[in-house]
Amino acid sequence: MRAAMAAADVDDDVRGVDPTAHRFQAEMAALMGKEAALFVPSGTMGNLISVLVHCDVRGSEAILGDNSHIHLYENGGISTIGGVHPRAVRNNPDGTMDVDEIVAAIRHPDLHCPTTRLICLENTHGNSGGRCLSVEYTDKIGEIARSHGLKLHIDGARIFNASVALGVPVDRLVKAADSVSVCLSKGLGAPIGSVIVGSKVFIDKAKILRKTLGGGMRQVGVLCAAAHVAVRDTVGKLADDHRKAKSLADGLNKIGQFAVDSATVQTNMVFLDIVDSRISSDKLCQVLKKHNVLANPSSFTSVRLVLHYQISDNDVQYALTCFEKAVEELLLGGTRLESLVDGTTENLMGTSQI
Amino acid sequence: MASKVVDLRSDTVTKPSEAMRAAMAAADVDDDVVGVDPTAQRFQAEMAALMGKEAALFVPSGTMGNLISVLVHCDVRGSEVILGDNSHIHVYENGGISTIGGVHPKTVRNNPDGTMDLDKIVAAIRHQDLHYPTTRLICLENTQGNCGGKCLSVEYTDKVGEIAKNHGLKLHIDGARIFNASVALGVPVDRLVKAADSVSVCLSKGLGAPVGSVIVGSKAFIGKAKILRKTLGGGMRQVGVLCAAAHVAVRDTLGKLADDHRKAKVLADSASVETNMVCPLDHLFDPLKFYYVIVLCVTYMCFIRYSLISWIHEYHLTCYAKSWNSTMCVQCQRVQKGEVPFSYCRKAVEELLKGGSNLEHLTNGAAKSSYGH
């Protein structure tokens, strides 16, 4: 990736003449089975642009999961920036939303109601533990969207993980969607960026909104070059990440204080439940950090673990031994643990979890 | 036979140097959204110190730099911002401060020298009234692009800063080309922007980095800016790859800006040229005959030509195909004074003024703008 970045053939992408960006966007559009693609600095911008383009008329509403990334971790931007109202529908533990609840959430024309224009799905679903939405489910939601005159957007940050885990080609998986946002900087390993894919008309509007939001970058081919390498080299390694996740989950299950529902480990994430009330997720993560294993609590009694290709099988084994040691230390207690304080573990964003 | 193209359209077309490419490839990186990319942190600290502010934030573009700055200063609904009617924020940023941020603009006429009259600025400040939004911010642009890269003096900037302070307003400087102003005025950049609460500085224009701008301001301001950057989607992960190139841009290219100004002056042969932009309209054209502005920008990496009239495009291509046989944009750094056919531009203009049958095929409005339209 570094070599590709340094050697990239570039020009001013705001003027539409960066050859590497052109090439990469065409490649992604073809891969995802859509007409066009647009490189953006982040998944947040990918989702924000998509929602705002589909809902460009004031007074719009978007249906999405109450446990979705867009709803929880994107600063409420679709509303604070875009003026779009969210209609949150309960996410099931498997990442889906009940079909009848989605239909019930669609507004009828009424003096009191905004106009529903969009349904958003998330695949894989992060907060559910990287669970996959099947192609059948996605198609069904697409059908509902179509029959009610709505658009369908998929937050596909980890869509390649879903495609690999389900054994469904990615273009087939997202066929029902009008737009998809795909991350390159997560498991695929590129330093920066996401790609939005959709129709030419959609992408043309997206391009203007991207400029408006400040995402128009100049010689962006340096980033697209790395992203191209990511897609070329790393998609093939995702299956291995899934295997390592299962291996980690199995190892954790052998520790009595932990429980992992192995059936839910479908891709590269493991949600570890702590079943011993003497151990808090916060303190567990702090002790693990001392052993050079980094993890974040996802609640007071659970920890989220994410695998990727830069974590080796040996690393997984090492981590497991550290988990065992950490449990021992925490249960034995003692002066070594006096420095640990609940509520001080930094969450992903460097701020206190609680 | 490849012919050289002298591209004078803008300084945004600058491509990364070998040193920048090497720095990008070797950059020490980590997840900047989590706040742990060492190269980004180092670069932001460097820029803050250089600009004399408490903190800095790397953003993907100048548009986002200005958007974030306006929205942070005007974070209360019902805000209004005073800015030039010919300013980049008002004319070329998709009206984002309003369409995205809900901030209302109050424009004041830009003078040809880039300033706005002080009394007009004061007159534009709203008093409390049931009918009025609340003025919270004044924006200046230095150098002022549409006025031809004109510099706002430190005295003028300080004066506007004083007005802002007296009225409880903030002052933001769109300093996309602030270094050009600093060099042309001979004023250290931190002194030049001392009166400002925030400044947006471009790295991807004349400084030559591939991507990005930097916002500088107080710690509190940058703290809020960081959140808004994430909200707008500008939070990038291993962004050190871009900050590494930006660092090289500041290190290597600042010292070359004076040369760009010199070349612009040679090209224009006019005292009205202050930095790296040339507007020959004033002394070459009959304003009644021509409705177009030809803005020529000159940078150290390549000469850039921008034209709304297709004939000048054609003319230059013909000339250069005969005179140069090197590839596009590569040889620019080795162009010595006297080799560059500045006279070709003037010849082209004179030919248009003469008119004649060789121009019959040309059609006004057929040339593409910088954005391909």
Side-chain angles (χ1 to χ4, degrees):
Chain A
M1 280 178 211
R2 290 174 183 270
M5 284 193 289
D9 184 16
V10 296
D11 208 322
D12 191 333
D13 188 54
V14 173
R15 291 166 205 278
V17 294
D18 185 299
T20 305
H22 273 188
R23 231 179 355 251
F24 178 67
Q25 284 164 168
E27 172 191 348
M28 288 304 294
L31 190 55
M32 308 291 295
K34 301 297 179 196
E35 287 179 357
L38 190 69
F39 185 86
V40 289
S42 67
T44 294
M45 192 182 282
N47 288 327
L48 182 61
I49 288 176
S50 299
V51 172
L52 266 50
V53 170
H54 290 308
C55 299
D56 55 2
V57 179
R58 191 184 303 107
S60 294
E61 190 165 83
I63 293 171
L64 70 179
D66 69 346
N67 204 12
S68 64
H69 195 273
I70 294 175
H71 193 58
L72 294 183
Y73 303 120
E74 299 189 10
N75 305 81
I78 64 167
S79 306
T80 65
I81 298 298
V84 177
H85 196 251
R87 189 71 191 273
V89 170
R90 199 180 56 90
N91 273 122
N92 297 317
D94 65 359
T96 61
M97 295 175 275
D98 284 348
V99 171
D100 53 350
E101 279 181 37
I102 291 177
V103 176
I106 299 173
R107 304 276 200 166
H108 302 290
D110 186 297
L111 185 62
H112 302 81
C113 300
T115 308
T116 310
R117 293 190 196 282
L118 177 68
I119 302 174
C120 291
L121 295 179
E122 184 180 325
N123 197 4
T124 65
H125 196 266
N127 268 7
S128 306
R131 304 280 286 271
C132 307
L133 305 185
S134 69
V135 64
E136 293 81 16
Y137 176 79
T138 307
D139 285 352
K140 203 175 292 179
I141 304 303
E143 212 181 291
I144 289 171
R146 219 177 336 275
S147 50
H148 288 85
L150 313 178
K151 300 292 185 188
L152 173 62
H153 169 71
I154 296 181
D155 175 0
R158 298 183 177 93
I159 194 71
F160 283 109
N161 291 78
S163 161
V164 163
L166 294 168
V168 175
V170 71
D171 56 343
R172 178 62 190 90
L173 187 53
V174 303
K175 192 162 192 255
D178 295 282
S179 60
V180 190
S181 179
V182 187
C183 274
L184 306 152
S185 65
K186 294 192 169 75
L188 297 186
I192 290 170
S194 285
V195 163
I196 317 169
V197 293
S199 70
K200 275 206 181 76
V201 170
F202 172 83
I203 292 296
D204 281 343
K205 293 184 186 171
K207 210 173 285 190
I208 297 176
L209 190 49
R210 180 186 67 173
K211 182 92 181 69
T212 307
L213 293 171
M217 296 182 279
R218 299 286 171 178
Q219 283 73 30
V220 77
V222 300
L223 300 178
C224 293
H228 164 76
V229 172
V231 174
R232 185 194 72 196
D233 289 359
T234 321
V235 172
K237 298 181 186 171
L238 295 178
D240 221 32
D241 296 342
H242 302 173
R243 181 188 56 73
K244 280 178 283 192
K246 277 231 167 343
S247 170
L248 180 63
D250 289 342
L252 290 168
N253 262 330
K254 297 200 174 98
I255 302 173
Q257 287 70 25
F258 298 149
V260 178
D261 186 353
S262 285
T264 67
V265 178
Q266 295 177 348
T267 57
N268 67 329
M269 286 194 201
V270 177
F271 269 70
L272 161 71
D273 284 318
I274 304 169
V275 295
D276 188 324
S277 56
R278 293 172 290 170
I279 301 175
S280 75
S281 60
D282 218 1
K283 288 201 180 134
L284 176 60
C285 290
Q286 289 174 52
V287 175
L288 285 170
K289 192 170 178 187
K290 292 196 178 150
H291 294 280
N292 287 331
V293 172
L294 304 177
N296 279 321
S298 56
S299 77
F300 285 114
T301 56
S302 64
V303 176
R304 185 182 88 148
L305 307 164
V306 186
L307 281 298
H308 53 78
Y309 81 100
Q310 290 172 357
I311 304 275
S312 68
D313 282 298
N314 282 342
D315 292 336
V316 172
Q317 293 311 310
Y318 172 73
L320 282 169
T321 57
C322 292
F323 272 101
E324 286 166 1
K325 278 198 200 128
V327 165
E328 235 180 74
E329 282 179 48
L330 286 164
L331 290 181
L332 285 174
T335 53
R336 263 173 315 164
L337 303 180
E338 272 162 10
S339 60
L340 304 180
V341 180
D342 266 328
T344 58
T345 307
E346 287 185 354
N347 70 10
L348 274 176
M349 304 306 149
T351 56
S352 183
Q353 183 76 349
I354 295 158
Chain B
M1 174 172 87
S3 60
K4 182 186 176 64
V5 171
V6 176
D7 188 359
L8 295 161
R9 286 173 296 171
S10 176
D11 46 5
T12 59
V13 303
T14 50
K15 295 189 184 179
S17 63
E18 287 308 315
M20 285 178 207
R21 289 173 180 274
M24 283 193 288
D28 184 16
V29 297
D30 208 320
D31 190 335
D32 188 54
V33 172
V34 184
V36 294
D37 184 299
T39 304
Q41 286 179 348
R42 224 172 9 245
F43 178 66
Q44 284 164 166
E46 172 191 349
M47 288 304 295
L50 190 56
M51 308 290 296
K53 302 296 179 196
E54 287 179 356
L57 189 70
F58 185 86
V59 289
S61 68
T63 296
M64 193 183 281
N66 289 327
L67 182 61
I68 287 176
S69 299
V70 172
L71 266 50
V72 170
H73 290 309
C74 299
D75 55 0
V76 179
R77 193 184 302 107
S79 294
E80 188 165 85
V81 55
I82 293 169
L83 70 179
D85 66 345
N86 206 9
S87 63
H88 196 273
I89 295 175
H90 190 62
V91 180
Y92 300 117
E93 298 190 9
N94 303 85
I97 63 166
S98 305
T99 64
I100 298 296
V103 179
H104 196 250
K106 188 94 196 296
T107 54
V108 171
R109 199 178 60 90
N110 274 119
N111 298 318
D113 66 357
T115 61
M116 296 176 275
D117 287 348
L118 293 177
D119 55 346
K120 292 206 171 76
I121 292 178
V122 174
I125 299 173
R126 303 276 201 167
H127 302 291
Q128 288 214 357
D129 187 295
L130 185 62
H131 301 79
Y132 294 165
T134 307
T135 311
R136 291 191 197 281
L137 177 68
I138 302 173
C139 288
L140 294 178
E141 184 179 328
N142 197 4
T143 63
Q144 221 290 352
N146 267 6
C147 297
K150 296 288 163 66
C151 307
L152 305 185
S153 69
V154 64
E155 293 81 17
Y156 176 80
T157 306
D158 284 352
K159 225 173 271 180
V160 178
E162 210 182 297
I163 290 171
K165 224 181 318 286
N166 292 342
H167 290 84
L169 313 178
K170 301 291 185 187
L171 173 61
H172 169 71
I173 297 180
D174 175 358
R177 298 184 178 91
I178 193 72
F179 285 112
N180 292 76
S182 161
V183 163
L185 294 168
V187 175
V189 71
D190 56 343
R191 176 62 189 91
L192 187 53
V193 303
K194 192 161 191 258
D197 296 283
S198 58
V199 189
S200 179
V201 187
C202 272
L203 306 152
S204 64
K205 293 192 170 72
L207 297 185
V211 172
S213 285
V214 165
I215 318 171
V216 294
S218 70
K219 273 206 183 79
F221 171 83
I222 293 297
K224 291 183 187 170
K226 211 173 285 194
I227 296 176
L228 189 49
R229 179 186 68 171
K230 182 91 180 70
T231 307
L232 294 171
M236 295 182 281
R237 298 288 172 175
Q238 283 71 30
V239 78
V241 300
L242 298 177
C243 292
H247 164 78
V248 172
V250 173
R251 184 193 72 197
D252 290 358
T253 322
L254 269 189
K256 299 181 183 171
L257 295 179
D259 216 34
D260 295 344
H261 302 171
R262 178 190 59 76
K263 282 179 278 191
K265 282 189 169 35
V266 170
L267 183 62
D269 194 21
S270 162
S272 68
V273 169
E274 294 181 18
T275 57
N276 66 334
M277 289 194 198
V278 174
C279 284
L281 184 68
D282 297 336
H283 64 290
L284 281 180
F285 289 11
D286 175 0
L288 292 176
K289 258 188 175 178
F290 298 99
Y291 309 101
Y292 305 95
V293 173
I294 300 174
V295 178
L296 307 172
C297 304
V298 174
T299 71
Y300 87 98
M301 291 197 86
C302 49
F303 294 93
I304 305 170
R305 176 194 61 239
Y306 173 85
S307 170
L308 293 175
I309 306 173
S310 57
W311 60 263
I312 211 172
H313 199 183
E314 242 182 71
Y315 190 101
H316 279 214
L317 279 178
T318 309
C319 285
Y320 293 145
K322 284 183 182 160
S323 306
W324 301 91
N325 53 10
S326 52
T327 54
M328 190 160 93
C329 292
V330 169
Q331 307 305 321
C332 306
Q333 284 163 298
R334 300 210 292 273
V335 171
Q336 299 301 313
K337 179 180 161 187
E339 281 179 28
V340 180
F342 296 120
S343 55
Y344 284 6
C345 295
R346 189 161 299 172
K347 269 198 204 147
V349 168
E350 283 166 357
E351 203 174 287
L352 178 67
L353 287 173
K354 273 193 293 191
S357 56
N358 63 325
L359 300 181
E360 270 164 11
H361 63 292
L362 302 174
T363 319
N364 275 341
K368 288 187 178 175
S369 73
S370 12
Y371 297 95
H373 308 301

